Amino acid sequence: MNRKPVTPETSATNAPEWTVSSLSGALKRTLEDSFGHVRLRGEVTGYRGPHSSGHAYFGLKDEGARIDAVIWKGVFQRLKIRPEEGMEVIAVGRITTFPASSRYQIVVESIEPAGVGALMAILEERRKKLAAEGLFDETRKRPLPYLPAVIGVVTSPTGAVIRDILHRLADRFPRRVLVWPVRVQGETSAAEVAAAIRGFNALAVDGSVPRPDVLIVARGGGSLEDLWSFNEEIVVRAAAESAIPLVSAIGHETDWTLIDLAADLRAPTPTAAAEKVVPVRLDLQAAVADLARRHRGAMVRLGDRRAGDLRALARALPQADNLLAAPRQRLDLAGSRLGSSLGAGVRRHAARLAIAGQKLARLSPLVLLERARARLAAAGHGLGRGFAHGVERRAATLARSASRLSPRPLLTRIGTSRERLASAGARLANAGAARLTGERARLDSLWKLAESLGHKGVLARGYAIVLDAEGRTVRARADVTEGMALDLVFADGKVRAVAGEGAQPARARRRRPEPKPPSETPPDTQPNLFGAND
């Protein structure tokens, strides 16, 4: 629609009216028709990573201006180079407006660094960051196994790299190879390579799929942009975390990526990586054969030298006759002296035996017994004389005492003692009779009290004790169930009964009460007659 511009001469009432939405739409169409797709160079500013929705919002600026930029979620996931704060890029997209805030912006469809210098700057900054974390330290490097049984290869399954590796391994030393296919270029390349490295490390040692002893991450040559996946932080961290020794073989010898710094060994080419992980079998066989030949020669020479040493030692040893001559002479001399020495020994022992016999004769039991008998007879004779003399001396002493003793005082004292003893006996008899009478009366009163308080006295007054089948006292009505067998104990015997209305147990038989003898001792425990329910 062609509209005439409003001038001071034009009446205000003739000017067309715009709504905010229609004006914003007209400006949007004009801007998009005028510019369409543009290639815009600028420095990334205000970038904070993707939004929770997956879209990325940031700005592009230069020395004099700034423009808002947006990357939709689908485009952001396909980008090979992600924007970073301060990165100089070339963004390709279309110019449009955002009517809600009256701003214009560029919707980015692709983004790339502004020249190789920008990529190198990003690469150097990332290298410094990861090096500060210690991922490139030499102390983390591990030696490769000398002869791995299984080799894991992370590369594209369709390229020439895997064929070169397999061909080189077959020439040097055939080993079992496990290939984890990945993309080595593109948006998902870095994630696939990192997942492959972690996947090989996650395999069980004794699982159905064997765990590799060494890993090779390989790719052919290319530009810095082509090899950028191996500069991604996710790949570098996966290589540094790998528990399996890892060899990087990315590009040609002049190519350089961050995974080369994190790997345990860098190979200039994939073919060189295959050469580094296995030795040459023919060289190894030749070395083993040479070592075996040298070992056999050394053993032969050792045997010859030991045989020569043995012969020299044998010559240095004296003859057996010379060694035995002196012992033989000493044996003959000892044999000649043996007879005389035995006779002298017998005579010497006979003399010692005679001396011992004489000493034994003096200490004979018969001699000792005669001596003891003589000493006993002498002692008996002396004892008889001493006893007779003592009897005579005591008789004289007794006669003198009897002459001085008079019986009258003694009889007087005996009479007095008899009277006192008779009086004490009479008092004792009276006291015992009185105490016995009192104790009998006390016992009779206690017995009457016991009979009045005992269960027999209660039973005699018309009460009864209820017992269950096991002889235990039934104290409450709640303890009785219908049909329960009971024993009713009266003063003159027991009666078997059954709880209920007229029911009689099958086993209950009428029996006569068995009166207990009068001397029967009351039971130790009396039933509580006052606690039973009537």
Side-chain angles (χ1 to χ4, degrees):
M1 177 186 298
N2 294 326
R3 299 180 184 273
K4 295 180 181 180
V6 179
T7 62
E9 293 80 7
T10 306
S11 173
T13 57
N14 294 330
E17 293 183 356
W18 292 84
T19 63
V20 176
S21 298
S22 60
L23 180 59
S24 297
L27 292 174
K28 178 180 178 67
R29 289 190 297 271
T30 301
L31 194 60
E32 290 178 352
D33 292 342
S34 300
F35 293 94
H37 280 74
V38 296
R39 186 177 174 87
L40 184 63
R41 180 174 184 143
E43 180 184 341
V44 176
T45 180
Y47 181 73
R48 298 294 181 268
H51 192 264
S52 59
S53 62
H55 311 313
Y57 301 96
F58 57 97
L60 295 174
K61 69 176 183 177
D62 56 11
E63 294 82 359
R66 182 185 185 279
I67 184 174
D68 291 337
V70 59
I71 304 177
W72 303 127
K73 177 180 178 180
V75 177
F76 186 82
Q77 293 176 348
R78 294 193 301 270
L79 291 179
K80 293 191 297 182
I81 303 297
R82 303 290 175 86
E84 295 182 8
E85 183 69 22
M87 178 180 178
E88 188 174 2
V89 297
I90 297 176
V92 178
R94 54 188 178 85
I95 301 297
T96 183
T97 63
F98 183 52
S101 58
S102 299
R103 292 185 300 179
Y104 65 93
Q105 61 186 7
I106 179 172
V107 179
V108 179
E109 297 178 355
S110 65
I111 192 171
E112 60 185 20
V116 178
L119 282 179
M120 292 302 295
I122 296 173
L123 187 61
E124 179 63 18
E125 182 180 357
R126 186 172 296 171
R127 184 192 68 80
K128 291 180 179 179
K129 173 187 173 183
L130 298 176
E133 296 181 13
L135 299 185
F136 304 149
D137 292 347
E138 290 297 326
T139 55
R140 298 173 58 93
K141 311 294 183 183
R142 290 156 298 178
L144 303 182
Y146 180 72
L147 187 61
V150 181
I151 300 173
V153 180
V154 179
T155 188
S156 173
T158 59
V161 172
I162 186 61
R163 292 195 296 270
D164 292 342
I165 292 176
L166 295 177
H167 178 71
R168 197 57 178 162
L169 290 176
D171 288 344
R172 292 176 65 85
F173 207 119
R175 298 279 85 187
R176 183 174 182 180
V177 179
L178 297 179
V179 180
W180 196 299
V182 297
R183 292 184 179 90
V184 294
Q185 184 176 344
E187 300 92 0
T188 62
S189 173
E192 291 183 10
V193 172
I197 295 173
R198 292 192 172 98
F200 272 130
N201 280 271
L203 292 176
V205 177
D206 299 328
S208 57
V209 178
R211 186 184 186 187
D213 300 317
V214 66
L215 297 180
I216 298 176
V217 180
R219 188 203 186 282
S223 63
L224 181 60
E225 291 82 358
D226 296 336
L227 303 180
W228 192 257
S229 297
F230 299 93
N231 291 319
E232 293 291 347
E233 187 173 339
I234 185 175
V235 175
V236 178
R237 292 189 181 278
E241 295 169 0
S242 175
I244 303 174
L246 187 142
V247 179
S248 65
I250 308 301
H252 301 298
E253 188 170 0
T254 57
D255 295 325
W256 176 83
T257 58
L258 292 181
I259 193 176
D260 296 333
L261 301 177
D264 297 296
L265 180 66
R266 177 186 180 271
T269 61
T271 303
E275 295 176 354
K276 289 181 179 297
V277 296
V278 293
V280 179
R281 182 170 59 177
L282 296 179
D283 295 344
L284 187 60
Q285 291 174 346
V288 171
D290 181 64
L291 290 175
R293 178 184 58 78
R294 293 171 60 185
H295 181 264
R296 287 193 299 270
M299 292 302 296
V300 171
R301 290 191 297 273
L302 178 61
D304 294 341
R305 186 170 65 253
R306 293 294 173 83
D309 296 342
L310 183 60
R311 288 192 296 269
L313 291 174
R315 287 193 300 269
L317 289 176
Q319 297 295 326
D321 293 338
N322 296 334
L323 291 175
L324 297 177
R328 285 175 179 173
Q329 188 175 2
R330 290 196 298 271
L331 180 60
D332 294 339
L333 181 62
S336 62
R337 295 177 178 177
L338 182 60
S340 59
S341 299
L342 287 176
V346 168
R347 288 191 297 273
R348 185 168 60 254
H349 285 293
R352 291 179 180 176
L353 183 61
I355 295 172
Q358 293 175 2
K359 292 181 179 179
L360 185 62
R362 290 196 299 271
L363 299 176
S364 173
L366 296 177
V367 175
L368 296 177
L369 181 60
E370 290 297 332
R371 292 177 183 174
R373 285 177 178 175
R375 289 195 299 272
L376 182 61
H381 182 67
L383 181 62
R385 291 198 306 269
F387 182 74
H389 179 69
V391 168
E392 291 176 356
R393 189 174 63 252
R394 294 294 178 87
T397 302
L398 181 61
R400 288 193 299 272
S401 298
S403 61
R404 292 193 301 268
L405 182 63
S406 175
R408 185 180 301 274
L410 180 61
L411 293 176
T412 303
R413 292 180 62 186
I414 291 174
T416 305
S417 298
R418 282 179 178 177
E419 292 177 358
R420 293 172 61 188
L421 181 62
S423 175
R427 289 196 302 271
L428 179 62
N430 295 332
R435 184 171 182 179
L436 181 60
T437 303
E439 292 295 332
R440 282 179 179 176
R442 183 169 175 269
L443 181 60
D444 291 340
S445 63
L446 291 176
W447 180 252
K448 292 179 181 180
L449 179 61
E451 285 184 347
S452 64
L453 297 178
H455 72 287
K456 288 186 177 181
V458 176
L459 295 179
R461 293 197 297 271
Y463 293 93
I465 301 174
V466 182
L467 304 177
D468 59 8
E470 297 180 358
R472 293 176 300 195
T473 304
V474 179
R475 301 179 181 276
R477 181 177 181 180
D479 297 338
V480 181
T481 59
E482 186 174 355
M484 180 177 177
L486 302 173
D487 287 334
L488 303 180
V489 181
F490 297 95
D492 55 350
K494 291 183 180 179
V495 175
R496 179 61 59 89
V498 177
E501 298 179 358
Q504 185 174 357
R507 296 190 305 168
R509 293 184 300 173
R510 189 176 186 85
R511 61 181 180 178
R512 299 180 63 186
E514 299 176 359
K516 296 183 180 179
S519 62
E520 183 177 0
T521 305
D524 295 337
T525 58
Q526 299 182 13
N528 187 0
L529 299 178
F530 301 98
N533 294 331
D534 292 338

